[in-house]
Amino acid sequence: MKTAEIKRRYLAHFEANGHAVVPSAPLPAISDPNLLFVNAGMVQFVPYFLGQQTPPYPRAVSVQKCIRTPDIDEVGKTSRHGTFFQMNGNFSFGDYFKAGAIPLAWDLVTRSVAEGGFGLDPERVWATVYLDDDEAAEIWRSVGMPAERIVRRGKKDNFWSMGIPGPAGPCSELYYDRGPDYGREGGPEVDEDRYLEFWNLVFMQYEIADVTSKEDFRIVGELPKKNIDTGMGLERMASILQGVDNLYEIDEVRPILARAAELTGKRYGAHSGHVAAQSHPDDVRLRVIADHVRTALMLIGDGVTPSNEGRGYVLRRIMRRAIRAVRLLGWQERALPELLPVARDCMAPSYPELATEFDRIAQYAYAEEDAFLATLRAGTTILDTAIAETKSAGKPALSGDKAFQLHDTYGFPIDLTLEIAAEQGLAVDADGFRRLMADQRARAKADARARKTGHTDLSAYRSVLDAGGPVEFTGYTELNRESRVRAVLSGGDQVGAAVEGDTVELVLDTTPFYAEGGGQQPDQGLITVGGGQVEVFDVQQPVPGLIVHRARVVRGEVRAGENGYAEIDVTRRRAISRSHTATHLVHQTMRNFLGESATQAGSLNAPGRLRFDFNTPTGVAPSVAPRGAAGQRGAP
């Protein structure tokens, strides 16, 4: 069964059972400060699980594009790890719980292919449950799972969270017995290569905090409602239904691997067994290439571009690992022009935009490979010099400092440093290199912790929103209006009043003040309430539907419940509007000179000035700037 057909059947099954079909969110986790990328199907639904927003449907189903990189070094070595994957998920927001989720899963898994199911042999399916989850175990028995194939496991295996503060709960996982060719008998606790996990049913009922590991966290309390969050690995199910050994051999990945093998003259699988742990190093590298090229395609397709920080750095690292693996297998020419079109053809049936956007995607990918090949050439020259100096000094090993400099400054892979040094009869101070890398990671983690905000406490804002409903924005049709002060907040709490000198947040029933968003600066102005007056210096929307005015009381007293008069700074608004218009003109001019691949990456529209951020896969020629400026002066 093709991967696209598995996806179609999954969505159809749950849609027929009252679930709303929700499109995949983009891979960059824009709305969650804790994540670079969406790493699970439930990420876009977190506000519903936490009770921060009211879900527009009681049940949902999606196939979510995901990226996970913590296990990147395991890619190719196991049958389970991939950086990009697709997660089939069905969700209940306080609607059904265990008694609904388990029968729905069992029905789809064991129903015949002719009747729209996946047709797995029920005698080869196992389930795990959390240690004390008697309810889930009993439901599995009621649908036909014998007690001897229901295994109880602890927090490490059967308590799920995103690894960050937020929703969590015990879970129940489904495994498929692939037979004795894949390992020892005895169930998932004995061998997870033979018994392949393919579906995780999470009974989402707790909110957790102080997360330090998968097993070390604090349960804050019960969620507002008991929810269901399930995740079926699409690639894992495809490997089962297509009868292949691992996710690298399914129909959406194998053609990339085959093309890489053809380029490098390798014969995939010639020296490996069924179990991934028995794989020849060449096969591991071919899998890395296939996985990483597909991942790069999907990331660039969703707007990520190579850079030295954040999401762009992850993409750059993935691409360079793929390019490096190809070279280690003997191919010394440009590889991505040979491999990326194959990945496109594999994935476009499910994601047609990859075909229509391929020229843009290819420009970024090919430019990155060219830059990395130049890096390799420069790094090799510096390494040759360092090797000569080490030999002339009579030392047996290249210093860890030099290896780290090559890696950190030039992006030169440590494994390449080790290989070239060994060819010259030298060792490398790998311990010194690892120590410097560990120091760098520790600094990066400390910085990340300092910037990490987690799921901010928005309870005061939600309380105001729940009590009075969404704030009506009228600023497109008027610049001032009368309105009641619904709430006055200070320090995250509602207060009855504020006096001269206080800095507070005001919520009105209706407002002409524009809240910051889309790169456009917020309005400023005055709100007069009785004998008091506040000067608004910022306007935000901390939760959808609630416009909050951040202001200083400049005269008298302001009380909640009183009527007021709101008026924006018209001169500032018009200046921002001119900057906003100019941003669109700049964007169009850039596309005129640089082509459709010049995409907007951000902007700032402020009075009298603007900033326009854009991505382009190649350097901007010096002649473009004056020509672009001339184009702007000639614009209507």
Side-chain angles (χ1 to χ4, degrees), residues 504-575:
V504 293
E505 295 178 317
L506 266 63
V507 179
L508 308 179
D509 284 338
T510 57
T511 181
F513 281 81
Y514 178 82
E516 182 177 7
Q520 187 157 321
Q521 293 287 286
D523 281 326
Q524 294 179 359
L526 298 173
I527 300 175
T528 304
V529 184
Q533 189 174 67
V534 301
E535 185 177 72
V536 177
F537 59 83
D538 189 17
V539 186
Q540 297 293 325
Q541 193 168 182
V543 293
L546 191 73
I547 298 174
V548 174
H549 309 75
R550 294 174 178 167
R552 286 179 292 271
V553 182
V554 294
R555 186 180 72 238
E557 183 182 52
V558 176
R559 288 186 171 276
E562 293 186 343
N563 290 327
Y565 185 75
E567 50 187 330
I568 70 167
D569 182 336
V570 178
T571 302
R572 173 185 167 84
R573 165 77 75 86
R574 288 173 178 163

Side-chain angles (χ1 to χ4, degrees), residues 20-26 28-32 35 37-50 52-53 55-57 60-66 87 89 91 93 162 167 229 455:
V21 177
V22 180
S24 171
I30 302 298
S31 61
D32 194 319
L35 298 171
F37 301 108
V38 172
N39 63 357
M42 56 82 71
V43 170
Q44 66 172 312
F45 303 115
V46 166
Y48 305 153
F49 289 132
L50 290 176
Q52 295 173 348
Q53 296 179 28
Y57 26 68
V61 61
S62 70
V63 178
Q64 175 63 50
K65 297 177 288 186
C66 299
M87 188 63 75
F91 308 90
F93 310 112
M162 292 190 296
D229 157 32
H455 294 284

Side-chain angles (χ1 to χ4, degrees), residues 388-405:
E389 291 173 350
T390 302
K391 282 185 170 182
S392 64
K395 296 179 180 178
L398 192 70
S399 72
D401 288 351
K402 181 59 69 174
F404 179 76
Q405 179 193 8

Side-chain angles (χ1 to χ4, degrees), residues 80-111:
R80 303 182 300 278
H81 293 98
T83 47
F84 169 80
F85 60 96
Q86 299 157 90
M87 188 63 75
N88 296 344
N90 59 285
F91 308 90
S92 166
F93 310 112
D95 185 17
Y96 61 84
F97 201 48
K98 298 176 187 178
I102 290 173
L104 281 169
W106 183 254
D107 177 38
L108 177 60
V109 166
T110 59
R111 195 188 329 138

Side-chain angles (χ1 to χ4, degrees), residues 439-449 451:
D439 290 345
Q440 184 188 61
R441 289 193 188 102
R443 289 192 298 271
K445 287 181 179 179
D447 179 61
R449 281 194 297 270
R451 291 184 285 108

Side-chain angles (χ1 to χ4, degrees), residues 167 268 282 284 406 409 461 564 573:
Y268 178 74
D282 287 351
V284 172
L406 282 162
T409 305
Y461 298 123
R573 165 77 75 86

Side-chain angles (χ1 to χ4, degrees), residues 550-605:
R550 294 174 178 167
R552 286 179 292 271
V553 182
V554 294
R555 186 180 72 238
E557 183 182 52
V558 176
R559 288 186 171 276
E562 293 186 343
N563 290 327
Y565 185 75
E567 50 187 330
I568 70 167
D569 182 336
V570 178
T571 302
R572 173 185 167 84
R573 165 77 75 86
R574 288 173 178 163
I576 292 173
S577 180
R578 287 192 294 271
S579 294
H580 183 80
T581 301
T583 297
H584 289 294
L585 293 173
V586 170
H587 189 193
Q588 185 57 54
T589 301
M590 287 297 180
R591 292 171 80 93
N592 291 343
F593 285 109
L594 301 176
E596 294 300 309
S597 62
T599 56
Q600 182 170 348
S603 66
L604 171 67
N605 300 311

Side-chain angles (χ1 to χ4, degrees), residues 104-167:
L104 281 169
W106 183 254
D107 177 38
L108 177 60
V109 166
T110 59
R111 195 188 329 138
S112 71
V113 172
E115 294 176 323
F118 293 144
L120 294 187
D121 180 357
E123 298 300 316
R124 299 174 71 174
V125 179
W126 290 60
T128 63
V129 298
Y130 188 56
L131 283 174
D132 60 1
D133 196 346
D134 296 333
E135 180 186 4
E138 179 55 38
I139 297 170
W140 280 120
R141 285 193 291 270
S142 73
V143 299
M145 181 84 71
E148 60 268 21
R149 293 209 307 273
I150 301 172
V151 181
R152 295 177 185 264
R153 305 180 81 172
K155 278 184 179 179
K156 181 179 179 181
D157 299 294
N158 277 77
F159 198 99
W160 193 91
S161 75
M162 292 190 296
I164 58 176

